[in-house]
Amino acid sequence: MKLSISMSPKEVVFGWLLMAGQLLILPVVAVILNSLLPTPLSDTYLNIALFAAEFLLAIVIFHKFLGASTRLALRTPFRCLRFAVLGFLLYYIGSYVVGQLITSINADFSNVNDSNIYTLAEDNYSLIFLCTVLLVPVTEELLYRGLIFRGLQKKNRLIAYLVSTTVFCLIHIVGYFGTVPVSTLFLCFLQYIPAGLSLAWAYEKADTIWAPILMHMTVNQISISFMR
C-alpha cells in the first residue's frame, strides 16, 4: 500500500540537510564548541546535548508531517498499536534468528554501540534513558522511515526497504570505523537488520510514523532497562 501522508518539498530538503549534519557537521561542531567552554562537558553530557539538538531540529523540520501523522494515528489508534505490536514481534523473531547466526560466527560478540550506550548510562542513567527511549526514536524514525523509506516506497518498495534498512544499520556503526575491527562492525550491521526491516514494515502497514516510533521506544526501553 502507498503511504498516505507526504512530506513537503521543504521538509525533504531540510531533512536531508539534517541527515548530512547528523553524520558530518553536528558532531564536529559539538566537539569544537565543547572545547571552548570553561569546563568542557563529559562525553556523556556531550552526547545528551547532541541527542537533544537532533531531536529539536527534527521536530522543527518535520512538524507538519509529524502533525499529520499524529492526527491519523489518533483517528486509527487500534491500527497504529496493532502494527506496532506485530512489528515488535517480528523484530524479536528476526533478532533471535540473526543472534543465533552471529553466535555461531563469534560466540564472544558484543555490540559496540550497545557497549557505548552502557558506558554513557553508567554516568547518568536517567538522562540517557530519556534520550534513548523518548528522543532518539522520534528523530530516527522521522529520518530513516519518514524521510528515506517514505520517499522511496512510492517508487519501489523493495528499494525502500533495502536502502532505509542499510542506512539505519550503517548509522549505528559508522562512528566506530577505524577503532573497531571490520569483522565486528559487520556483525553489528547484521544485528540491526531485523530492526530496520520490521520498523519499516510497521510504518508501511499502519500508515503513520507513530507505529515505528512506539515500537522503537519499546525496544529501546527494554534494552536500556537491562543495563541498569
PDB file of all heavy atoms in Angstrom, residues 1-3 6-7 12 148-157 160 204:
ATOM      1  N   MET A   1       0.842  -1.196   0.000  1.00  0.00           N
ATOM      2  CA  MET A   1       0.000   0.000   0.000  1.00  0.00           C
ATOM      3  C   MET A   1       0.881   1.251   0.000  1.00  0.00           C
ATOM      4  O   MET A   1       1.973   1.252   0.553  1.00  0.00           O
ATOM      5  CB  MET A   1      -0.917   0.021   1.222  1.00  0.00           C
ATOM      6  CG  MET A   1      -0.201   0.033   2.563  1.00  0.00           C
ATOM      7  SD  MET A   1      -1.305   0.295   3.963  1.00  0.00           S
ATOM      8  CE  MET A   1      -1.779   1.999   3.732  1.00  0.00           C
ATOM      9  N   LYS A   2       0.391   2.292  -0.642  1.00  0.00           N
ATOM     10  CA  LYS A   2       1.123   3.556  -0.680  1.00  0.00           C
ATOM     11  C   LYS A   2       0.831   4.337   0.597  1.00  0.00           C
ATOM     12  O   LYS A   2      -0.304   4.390   1.075  1.00  0.00           O
ATOM     13  CB  LYS A   2       0.714   4.371  -1.910  1.00  0.00           C
ATOM     14  CG  LYS A   2       1.032   3.691  -3.247  1.00  0.00           C
ATOM     15  CD  LYS A   2       2.526   3.501  -3.435  1.00  0.00           C
ATOM     16  CE  LYS A   2       2.815   2.878  -4.803  1.00  0.00           C
ATOM     17  NZ  LYS A   2       4.263   2.632  -5.001  1.00  0.00           N
ATOM     18  N   LEU A   3       1.859   4.954   1.134  1.00  0.00           N
ATOM     19  CA  LEU A   3       1.698   5.759   2.336  1.00  0.00           C
ATOM     20  C   LEU A   3       0.924   7.030   1.989  1.00  0.00           C
ATOM     21  O   LEU A   3       1.189   7.663   0.976  1.00  0.00           O
ATOM     22  CB  LEU A   3       3.068   6.092   2.918  1.00  0.00           C
ATOM     23  CG  LEU A   3       3.830   4.866   3.429  1.00  0.00           C
ATOM     24  CD1 LEU A   3       5.311   5.189   3.599  1.00  0.00           C
ATOM     25  CD2 LEU A   3       3.246   4.371   4.744  1.00  0.00           C
ATOM     26  N   SER A   6       2.421  12.668   2.947  1.00  0.00           N
ATOM     27  CA  SER A   6       3.658  13.064   2.274  1.00  0.00           C
ATOM     28  C   SER A   6       4.356  14.179   3.046  1.00  0.00           C
ATOM     29  O   SER A   6       3.765  14.851   3.889  1.00  0.00           O
ATOM     30  CB  SER A   6       3.357  13.556   0.852  1.00  0.00           C
ATOM     31  OG  SER A   6       2.778  12.524   0.079  1.00  0.00           O
ATOM     32  N   MET A   7       5.620  14.370   2.724  1.00  0.00           N
ATOM     33  CA  MET A   7       6.374  15.500   3.263  1.00  0.00           C
ATOM     34  C   MET A   7       6.376  16.614   2.236  1.00  0.00           C
ATOM     35  O   MET A   7       6.356  16.358   1.033  1.00  0.00           O
ATOM     36  CB  MET A   7       7.815  15.092   3.579  1.00  0.00           C
ATOM     37  CG  MET A   7       7.983  14.217   4.784  1.00  0.00           C
ATOM     38  SD  MET A   7       9.739  13.920   5.140  1.00  0.00           S
ATOM     39  CE  MET A   7       9.591  12.948   6.646  1.00  0.00           C
ATOM     40  N   VAL A  12      11.581  17.777   2.964  1.00  0.00           N
ATOM     41  CA  VAL A  12      12.520  16.837   2.348  1.00  0.00           C
ATOM     42  C   VAL A  12      13.914  17.439   2.260  1.00  0.00           C
ATOM     43  O   VAL A  12      14.915  16.814   2.638  1.00  0.00           O
ATOM     44  CB  VAL A  12      12.029  16.412   0.944  1.00  0.00           C
ATOM     45  CG1 VAL A  12      13.104  15.587   0.233  1.00  0.00           C
ATOM     46  CG2 VAL A  12      10.727  15.613   1.055  1.00  0.00           C
ATOM     47  N   ILE A 148      13.482   8.664   4.344  1.00  0.00           N
ATOM     48  CA  ILE A 148      14.071   7.752   3.361  1.00  0.00           C
ATOM     49  C   ILE A 148      13.060   6.719   2.861  1.00  0.00           C
ATOM     50  O   ILE A 148      12.820   6.602   1.658  1.00  0.00           O
ATOM     51  CB  ILE A 148      15.310   7.046   3.946  1.00  0.00           C
ATOM     52  CG1 ILE A 148      16.381   8.076   4.300  1.00  0.00           C
ATOM     53  CG2 ILE A 148      15.864   6.023   2.954  1.00  0.00           C
ATOM     54  CD1 ILE A 148      17.627   7.494   4.938  1.00  0.00           C
ATOM     55  N   PHE A 149      12.472   5.945   3.776  1.00  0.00           N
ATOM     56  CA  PHE A 149      11.562   4.878   3.348  1.00  0.00           C
ATOM     57  C   PHE A 149      10.345   5.441   2.622  1.00  0.00           C
ATOM     58  O   PHE A 149       9.981   4.960   1.551  1.00  0.00           O
ATOM     59  CB  PHE A 149      11.117   4.040   4.543  1.00  0.00           C
ATOM     60  CG  PHE A 149      10.198   2.909   4.162  1.00  0.00           C
ATOM     61  CD1 PHE A 149      10.718   1.715   3.695  1.00  0.00           C
ATOM     62  CD2 PHE A 149       8.820   3.040   4.251  1.00  0.00           C
ATOM     63  CE1 PHE A 149       9.876   0.669   3.323  1.00  0.00           C
ATOM     64  CE2 PHE A 149       7.976   2.021   3.885  1.00  0.00           C
ATOM     65  CZ  PHE A 149       8.510   0.825   3.421  1.00  0.00           C
ATOM     66  N   ARG A 150       9.719   6.459   3.206  1.00  0.00           N
ATOM     67  CA  ARG A 150       8.526   7.033   2.581  1.00  0.00           C
ATOM     68  C   ARG A 150       8.847   7.597   1.200  1.00  0.00           C
ATOM     69  O   ARG A 150       8.079   7.441   0.259  1.00  0.00           O
ATOM     70  CB  ARG A 150       7.955   8.141   3.478  1.00  0.00           C
ATOM     71  CG  ARG A 150       6.701   8.813   2.941  1.00  0.00           C
ATOM     72  CD  ARG A 150       6.612  10.248   3.424  1.00  0.00           C
ATOM     73  NE  ARG A 150       7.844  10.969   3.172  1.00  0.00           N
ATOM     74  CZ  ARG A 150       8.177  11.484   1.983  1.00  0.00           C
ATOM     75  NH1 ARG A 150       7.373  11.366   0.942  1.00  0.00           N
ATOM     76  NH2 ARG A 150       9.327  12.109   1.825  1.00  0.00           N
ATOM     77  N   GLY A 151      10.003   8.251   1.088  1.00  0.00           N
ATOM     78  CA  GLY A 151      10.365   8.843  -0.199  1.00  0.00           C
ATOM     79  C   GLY A 151      10.585   7.823  -1.297  1.00  0.00           C
ATOM     80  O   GLY A 151      10.270   8.076  -2.462  1.00  0.00           O
ATOM     81  N   LEU A 152      11.113   6.664  -0.920  1.00  0.00           N
ATOM     82  CA  LEU A 152      11.409   5.621  -1.917  1.00  0.00           C
ATOM     83  C   LEU A 152      10.252   4.643  -2.120  1.00  0.00           C
ATOM     84  O   LEU A 152      10.119   4.056  -3.197  1.00  0.00           O
ATOM     85  CB  LEU A 152      12.656   4.833  -1.490  1.00  0.00           C
ATOM     86  CG  LEU A 152      13.981   5.603  -1.487  1.00  0.00           C
ATOM     87  CD1 LEU A 152      15.081   4.753  -0.862  1.00  0.00           C
ATOM     88  CD2 LEU A 152      14.358   6.005  -2.902  1.00  0.00           C
ATOM     89  N   GLN A 153       9.414   4.488  -1.094  1.00  0.00           N
ATOM     90  CA  GLN A 153       8.366   3.466  -1.149  1.00  0.00           C
ATOM     91  C   GLN A 153       7.374   3.679  -2.279  1.00  0.00           C
ATOM     92  O   GLN A 153       6.883   2.731  -2.885  1.00  0.00           O
ATOM     93  CB  GLN A 153       7.640   3.420   0.202  1.00  0.00           C
ATOM     94  CG  GLN A 153       6.677   2.251   0.359  1.00  0.00           C
ATOM     95  CD  GLN A 153       5.220   2.688   0.219  1.00  0.00           C
ATOM     96  OE1 GLN A 153       4.927   3.826  -0.186  1.00  0.00           O
ATOM     97  NE2 GLN A 153       4.314   1.795   0.533  1.00  0.00           N
ATOM     98  N   LYS A 154       7.089   4.942  -2.596  1.00  0.00           N
ATOM     99  CA  LYS A 154       6.117   5.236  -3.654  1.00  0.00           C
ATOM    100  C   LYS A 154       6.670   4.900  -5.040  1.00  0.00           C
ATOM    101  O   LYS A 154       5.916   4.802  -6.002  1.00  0.00           O
ATOM    102  CB  LYS A 154       5.692   6.699  -3.597  1.00  0.00           C
ATOM    103  CG  LYS A 154       6.823   7.694  -3.734  1.00  0.00           C
ATOM    104  CD  LYS A 154       6.325   9.112  -3.516  1.00  0.00           C
ATOM    105  CE  LYS A 154       7.461  10.127  -3.589  1.00  0.00           C
ATOM    106  NZ  LYS A 154       7.008  11.497  -3.324  1.00  0.00           N
ATOM    107  N   LYS A 155       7.997   4.710  -5.111  1.00  0.00           N
ATOM    108  CA  LYS A 155       8.620   4.367  -6.397  1.00  0.00           C
ATOM    109  C   LYS A 155       8.948   2.879  -6.493  1.00  0.00           C
ATOM    110  O   LYS A 155       8.714   2.250  -7.510  1.00  0.00           O
ATOM    111  CB  LYS A 155       9.897   5.191  -6.587  1.00  0.00           C
ATOM    112  CG  LYS A 155       9.639   6.700  -6.624  1.00  0.00           C
ATOM    113  CD  LYS A 155      10.935   7.477  -6.737  1.00  0.00           C
ATOM    114  CE  LYS A 155      10.666   8.969  -6.747  1.00  0.00           C
ATOM    115  NZ  LYS A 155      11.924   9.771  -6.812  1.00  0.00           N
ATOM    116  N   ASN A 156       9.525   2.339  -5.402  1.00  0.00           N
ATOM    117  CA  ASN A 156       9.913   0.924  -5.412  1.00  0.00           C
ATOM    118  C   ASN A 156      10.004   0.436  -3.970  1.00  0.00           C
ATOM    119  O   ASN A 156      10.881   0.858  -3.227  1.00  0.00           O
ATOM    120  CB  ASN A 156      11.247   0.753  -6.129  1.00  0.00           C
ATOM    121  CG  ASN A 156      11.608  -0.709  -6.330  1.00  0.00           C
ATOM    122  OD1 ASN A 156      11.699  -1.484  -5.389  1.00  0.00           O
ATOM    123  ND2 ASN A 156      11.829  -1.076  -7.590  1.00  0.00           N
ATOM    124  N   ARG A 157       9.092  -0.453  -3.569  1.00  0.00           N
ATOM    125  CA  ARG A 157       9.030  -0.919  -2.181  1.00  0.00           C
ATOM    126  C   ARG A 157      10.301  -1.657  -1.779  1.00  0.00           C
ATOM    127  O   ARG A 157      10.819  -1.482  -0.664  1.00  0.00           O
ATOM    128  CB  ARG A 157       7.829  -1.841  -1.977  1.00  0.00           C
ATOM    129  CG  ARG A 157       6.491  -1.138  -2.052  1.00  0.00           C
ATOM    130  CD  ARG A 157       5.348  -2.104  -1.839  1.00  0.00           C
ATOM    131  NE  ARG A 157       5.320  -2.626  -0.485  1.00  0.00           N
ATOM    132  CZ  ARG A 157       5.462  -3.918  -0.166  1.00  0.00           C
ATOM    133  NH1 ARG A 157       5.686  -4.824  -1.114  1.00  0.00           N
ATOM    134  NH2 ARG A 157       5.410  -4.315   1.091  1.00  0.00           N
ATOM    135  N   ALA A 160      13.052   0.679  -1.209  1.00  0.00           N
ATOM    136  CA  ALA A 160      12.778   1.435   0.014  1.00  0.00           C
ATOM    137  C   ALA A 160      13.210   0.650   1.251  1.00  0.00           C
ATOM    138  O   ALA A 160      13.846   1.199   2.163  1.00  0.00           O
ATOM    139  CB  ALA A 160      11.297   1.779   0.099  1.00  0.00           C
ATOM    140  N   GLU A 204       4.757   1.046   7.149  1.00  0.00           N
ATOM    141  CA  GLU A 204       4.002   0.857   5.914  1.00  0.00           C
ATOM    142  C   GLU A 204       2.599   0.342   6.195  1.00  0.00           C
ATOM    143  O   GLU A 204       1.622   0.795   5.592  1.00  0.00           O
ATOM    144  CB  GLU A 204       4.750  -0.113   5.000  1.00  0.00           C
ATOM    145  CG  GLU A 204       4.081  -0.308   3.649  1.00  0.00           C
ATOM    146  CD  GLU A 204       4.863  -1.241   2.748  1.00  0.00           C
ATOM    147  OE1 GLU A 204       5.293  -2.307   3.235  1.00  0.00           O
ATOM    148  OE2 GLU A 204       5.037  -0.917   1.562  1.00  0.00           O
TER     149      GLU A 204
END
